[in-house]
Amino acid sequence: MKKYDVVVIGAGPAGYEAALKVAGAGKKTLLIDRIKENIGGVCLNVGCIPTKNYLESAIFLSRVPYFENCGVSLEVNGFNFEQLKDKTTALVKEIRSGVVWMLDQAKVELLYGSANFLDANTIQVADEKIGFDKCIIATGSYARELPQLPFDSKKILSSTNIFELKSLPKSIAIVGGGPIGCEFATFFNALGVEVTLLVRGERLLSKEDEELSKALLRAFKKKDIKVLTLTTVSKYEIENGGIKLFINSQEDEFLECEVVLNASGRIPYTKGLNLENVNIKQDKRGFIEVTPSFESSQENIYAIGDCINTPAFAHTAYAEARITAQNIINNTNKTNSHITPTAVFTNPAIASCGINETQAKEKGIEVNIKKVYFKVNAKAKIHGDDSGFVKIITKADSGVILGACIIGVEATEIIHEMIIAIEKQLTTKEIDEIIHVHPSVCEIMRY
């Protein structure tokens, strides 16, 4: 039986980052995933990277009219969806090969197959038993299926098999008003698809600042994206080459479209691991329970990424991987004390960090609100999009920045200045004194 210092199960952002770090410190490391094409995880293969590549093309297309007004002669003869798919596939393969190269350079051994625990120091992959001192579970998550709307890979799609579409539909219903649903609404709308968003709650992006949610709703309505809030699907029928959804809504009783994307959430991927063999605890939703230093109830087995109940972002997974690797290398119990930003790559884009206005009120913190609109920013106008705003929450007595949220051009880039400000407890006065490049979108922070 082979034995390793560290075995990592799952080769997504959390898994491969952790493997690189522990192997780089001289630990004999094995990284396991089911197939080679899974390296990079959901993020690389069917999540962050392909979605954002799709969105980049769609958003570029939506800005063509502005640049034509600036004198640029463009002839747009439709959109070649198949070519976008091919380019995205090539991009994913290129990045994946880079990850594999890094793992090879770090001397991380790779093994393909499904892993399950035999005991607290042994796993099995196919017919092979493997021993370990430490193990990191980084198995990620998968799309949640609704009982009344089961995936069929043809008419009812998940955020995974949406990339298998061979051509653009004429109409699409998207179930779910979270980041995934809103990003795909942006993409399909920009390419001329009739989009309807079905949202279970009262607003889009329920975890974001309420003003941001309202601003995104207004932007969507301007783009003719139909948003139905307080809406659920009760059943469906396939008819006339399309699908008919029967819905509980304040506006309609049913909705007809060509395809449906169910983007109503994700489930931690832990099935088949036989966690009961090592007494690893899970919560009622299936997330592995961990300490603040990412140890499971079995102290030599850690869990990170989407299989635990922390913000489901690749950047969160990377951070958890680095912290866990250091804890293993140095035998420490460090925790994630850093600010986690959120980012939604809609048009307009959204980003936030720290606490929002509602959360401040719930905590009983006296705050001041500073808000500035992109209409005063020259570079936003040059980009052809001066919609949206920046909202900063500061402590009333000191001016220390507690949180920020942004909706508008380059929001997912300029949020980084606010992350640093919150972590270093800077005030708005100190931000104002920083010399920002002019013209730049980022200089809106000093207004």
Side-chain angles (χ1 to χ4, degrees), residues 5 54 80 85 92 152 177 204 212-213 216 278 298 319 368:
D5 296 322
Y54 272 36
N80 190 325
K85 285 183 62 179
V92 168
D152 65 4
L204 299 170
L212 256 69
S213 296
L216 183 63
V278 281
Q298 186 65 245
N368 290 328

Side-chain angles (χ1 to χ4, degrees), residues 192-207:
V193 178
E194 183 183 326
V195 178
T196 304
L197 260 175
L198 308 179
V199 184
R200 184 184 184 89
E202 295 181 346
R203 59 189 180 93
L204 299 170
L205 303 176
S206 59
K207 294 182 180 180

